[in-house]
Amino acid sequence: MKKEEHWQIIQDLWQEQKLSLGQELEKNAQENGAKTALFYKEQKISYRELNAGANRYAHCFSQLGFKSGDVVVLFMK
């Protein structure tokens, strides 16, 4: 990737986003399901696995009474 392309990506991040992080994750899980989304040392997590985990947390918080627009912070190991 050229230097100009990197700067364009950074500049694009300053623009208002049309999709939420959750919607972006859903989209990426559909388009890149088995590809690696995260890796740390020997562990790799695919987009599909990451999305499934996020959905489990979302479902749990929904069952606890949280709703769209509420802010939740997770401290995870």
Side-chain angles (χ1 to χ4, degrees):
M1 187 177 288
K2 296 179 182 178
K3 187 175 182 178
E4 296 81 23
E5 292 173 312
H6 284 275
W7 281 113
Q8 186 60 52
I9 291 170
I10 292 169
Q11 289 174 346
D12 289 346
L13 291 172
W14 288 99
Q15 303 300 318
E16 183 177 338
Q17 302 298 309
K18 295 177 183 169
L19 298 176
S20 70
L21 179 59
Q23 291 169 322
E24 282 288 337
L25 182 55
E26 291 277 341
K27 181 180 143 207
N28 278 290
Q30 289 176 353
E31 294 174 0
N32 305 299
K35 291 182 181 178
T36 301
L38 299 172
F39 62 92
Y40 176 72
K41 295 186 180 181
E42 302 297 320
Q43 185 178 5
K44 292 182 181 180
I45 299 173
S46 71
Y47 282 97
R48 189 175 297 118
E49 293 168 324
L50 181 60
N51 186 53
N55 286 339
R56 282 192 299 276
Y57 279 103
H59 179 74
C60 175
F61 288 118
S62 176
Q63 294 297 308
L64 292 171
F66 289 88
K67 56 193 176 309
S68 181
D70 289 344
V71 177
V72 177
V73 177
L74 298 176
F75 292 99
M76 303 173 77
K77 190 175 184 180

